[in-house]
Amino acid sequence: MPEINFRILGSGAVPVLLLGAMLAGCGDAGETITRLTVGSAGPDPYTVMANTDRREIKLSTSKGGTKDGNAPGLYGGTRQAASCDPAKLIAFLQANPGKAKAWASVHRIGTGDISGFVGRLTPVLLRTDTLVTNHGFKGGKATRGTAVLQAGMGVLVNEYGVPVVKCNCGNPLTQPEKKISTGGAEYTGASWPGFSKRGVTKIRIRTTVQAFVLVDPEATIGFDRPVATTGGSDGPPEELPVESTPTPDPSDSGSMDPSTPPVDPSDPGIPSGEPGTEPPPVTETPGDGGEPAPDGGPVSEPPPASMDAPPEPGPS
């Protein structure tokens, strides 16, 4: 909470100063967050892709607050299979240059770099209701809105474990603003059983990931999925990972889920501090429209694939 200046300005001034300081430390209570349910493309979709979400999934027992993108058990998936197909997204954007331009602008890359960028992503399933900034497409431009994605939704995550694509519609995703208070915000859109403001999780960047430790939808096994793979390179079944306790979000003081135990400061698995909320920006270069951030190795370009819905022409 910011420091409060107690200098007397008059009999009515102090309460105003105190109230202003208290509100400043509680996040943006006036934010409106759109709930997006499993199977729903949501507002202003780039396209529609079928069979990317899972309605029946055993949720994480560790929810709410803030979690690191590389946390074991944060995400789920079916071993040796992935419902989200990066090649389909690449093919769709290549066939729709107007949408490709808007899509690429969200991630600060050139349209010529979409294939390499998407090829470095990893398909996973959300195991917690997750806060994101959702970017749709309307009027030839990218739109922007804060959203919470229901657990069970398929997303593509980057090498930091941050969701960057909503699979069922192709919309690019970025991290939500730090100031947003999930506990103090207003919510629109259809709710779902078990939804709670206190159970909405924010994902933060901690470090790059070589392999994600995923949990199967029934929560019976864990397994490793190397970054930029789609199931064929998944590791053997393992014991379920021990999930770390979420870090309380300063903008949501008192809004943690009652079922979540408090953070133990002595737990070495809970990192202290919070780095920046976005990966290093992409440096654009003339000629190809941008150079993707390094990811540890080249990625072969996936072959074009047909969409579940016919390509939609966009403005050139």
Side-chain angles (χ1 to χ4, degrees), residues 23-89:
L23 291 176
C26 295
D28 187 354
E31 181 72 24
T32 299
I33 299 174
T34 302
R35 284 181 294 239
L36 299 178
T37 60
V38 163
S40 169
D44 305 329
Y46 275 71
T47 184
V48 176
M49 296 186 183
N51 303 317
T52 65
D53 301 343
R54 178 110 179 193
R55 294 188 182 278
E56 300 296 329
I57 185 171
K58 190 168 182 179
L59 306 184
S60 170
T61 57
S62 177
K63 58 186 178 179
T66 302
K67 298 203 72 174
D68 299 335
N70 64 343
L74 173 62
Y75 297 118
T78 300
R79 182 173 171 269
Q80 297 186 337
S83 57
C84 191
D85 189 344
K88 286 187 176 182
L89 177 62

Side-chain angles (χ1 to χ4, degrees), residues 23 26-32 177 179-182 184-185 251:
L23 291 176
C26 295
D28 187 354
E31 181 72 24
T32 299
E177 296 182 13
K179 66 179 182 178
I180 294 174
S181 166
T182 56
S251 67

Side-chain angles (χ1 to χ4, degrees), residues 9 44 85 87 101 107 113 126 137 153 189 200 233 257 270 275 304:
L9 297 179
D44 305 329
D85 189 344
K101 182 177 180 180
H107 289 307
D113 299 310
L126 299 178
F137 182 83
M153 191 170 290
V200 176
S233 300
D257 194 305
I270 305 300

